[in-house]
Amino acid sequence: MMNIAVFCSGNGTNLQAIINAVKSRKLKSVKIALVVSDNPGAYALARAKKAGIKTLVVERSQFAAKSDFEKQIIGSLKKENVRLIVLAGFMRIIGEDILREYKGKILNIHPALLPSFKGAHGIKDAFDYGVKATGVTVHLVDDKMDHGPIILQEAIPVKGNDTLESLESRIHKVEHKLYYKAIDLLVKGRIKIRGRKIGII
Ligand code: GRF
C-alpha cells in the first residue's frame, strides 16, 4: 500500500476522480492519506471530508518564508507516511524544500499539451490562440513550472463549434481518466526515467 497526498486549491474534481478510482478499485494499493490545501475555502476539502480523508489547510500568508510554509507541510506528510504527492489544481509552485524531500515523487496534471500553454490558464490560452488540438499532460514535477518529464499525454481536437466551456468540459473528462492511470503506473514501478524521457514498462 502506498500512501499518497493530494494537493488542491479549488474545486477538486481531479481529487474526486482519484477518490472514485480508489473506491472502485481501478486504482489499487493506494491510500489517500492526506488532502492538503492552501485555501481554506477550497471545495476539495469538503470532498475529502465526505470521503473520510484527513485534511490539512496551510495558508501561505501565515508564514514569513516559503520555506517555513513548506516545512509545515512536510511535517504532516511525514506523519502520514506519504510517499507520493499528487498536485491536482494546486495553485502554488512547489519550492526547494518539498522538491528535495520528494524528488521524483511529485506528479502534476496540466490541461494543455506541454510544453505549450504553461501556467494557470492553459485551456483558455490554447483556445484563444486558435489551436486545432490541445490536450492533457501528466508529468513529474521539477524545479521549473509545468516542465518535468512527461508520463502520459493525450491530445484533444478543438472543434469549430467549441466554446471555451465545451472545450473545458472535454478536457476535464480526459483529466479524470488519465490522472489515476499515471498514478497507477508510478505505484506499480512501471515508470523508467531517462533524462526527460519516461519509458513505461
Ligand atoms: C485542472 O484543470 C488541472 O489540470 C489544473 O487545475 C485544474 C484543477 O481542477 N492544474 P480541479 O480542482 O481538479 O477541479
Side-chain angles (χ1 to χ4, degrees):
M1 191 63 82
M2 187 186 281
N3 280 6
I4 72 170
V6 184
F7 286 29
C8 309
S9 301
N11 190 348
T13 62
N14 279 283
L15 165 68
Q16 190 67 57
I18 298 165
I19 292 173
N20 296 347
V22 171
K23 275 204 181 133
S24 64
R25 307 214 17 97
K26 283 186 197 144
L27 183 56
K28 292 182 196 134
S29 311
V30 163
K31 181 184 170 196
I32 308 172
L34 194 64
V35 166
V36 177
S37 182
D38 61 327
N39 169 16
Y43 187 62
L45 291 166
R47 296 180 190 273
K49 281 175 191 149
K50 192 164 174 235
I53 301 168
K54 278 192 197 166
T55 59
L56 171 74
V57 177
V58 208
E59 287 178 86
R60 174 65 184 87
S61 58
Q62 305 296 306
F63 301 86
K66 180 163 185 145
S67 164
D68 298 327
F69 167 73
E70 293 213 332
K71 279 180 183 136
Q72 179 84 23
I73 296 175
I74 291 169
S76 298
L77 297 176
K78 295 276 156 195
K79 214 172 108 195
E80 299 300 333
N81 197 20
V82 167
R83 286 163 56 207
L84 175 70
I85 295 175
V86 174
L87 305 181
F90 188 64
M91 302 310 283
R92 285 189 182 278
I93 303 210
I94 297 296
E96 54 186 30
D97 291 85
I98 294 180
L99 272 175
R100 196 184 314 114
E101 204 66 43
Y102 284 90
K103 196 171 186 298
K105 302 282 180 208
I106 310 174
L107 295 182
N108 183 42
I109 190 162
H110 184 72
L113 290 179
L114 292 176
S116 290
F117 307 111
K118 296 177 179 177
H121 309 288
I123 305 177
K124 184 172 190 299
D125 292 346
F127 183 73
D128 289 347
Y129 194 89
V131 296
K132 299 296 186 198
T134 181
V136 173
T137 306
V138 179
H139 66 95
L140 287 172
V141 171
D142 66 8
D143 58 350
K144 297 187 197 73
M145 185 186 63
D146 297 332
H147 176 267
I150 293 168
I151 300 174
L152 291 176
Q153 200 163 41
E154 188 168 316
I156 297 165
V158 180
K159 297 175 188 164
N161 60 356
D162 259 327
T163 58
L164 178 59
E165 290 70 31
S166 65
L167 179 62
E168 266 168 356
S169 123
R170 285 212 309 292
I171 287 182
H172 291 317
K173 276 195 191 119
V174 171
E175 289 190 302
H176 299 159
K177 75 170 177 54
L178 213 60
Y179 214 178
Y180 79 81
K181 286 184 185 161
I183 297 169
D184 189 51
L185 290 171
L186 203 125
V187 166
K188 287 182 173 151
R190 292 185 54 200
I191 283 172
K192 291 289 161 240
I193 307 167
R194 264 197 223 111
R196 277 211 57 87
K197 302 223 173 64
I198 291 194
I200 296 171
I201 51 167

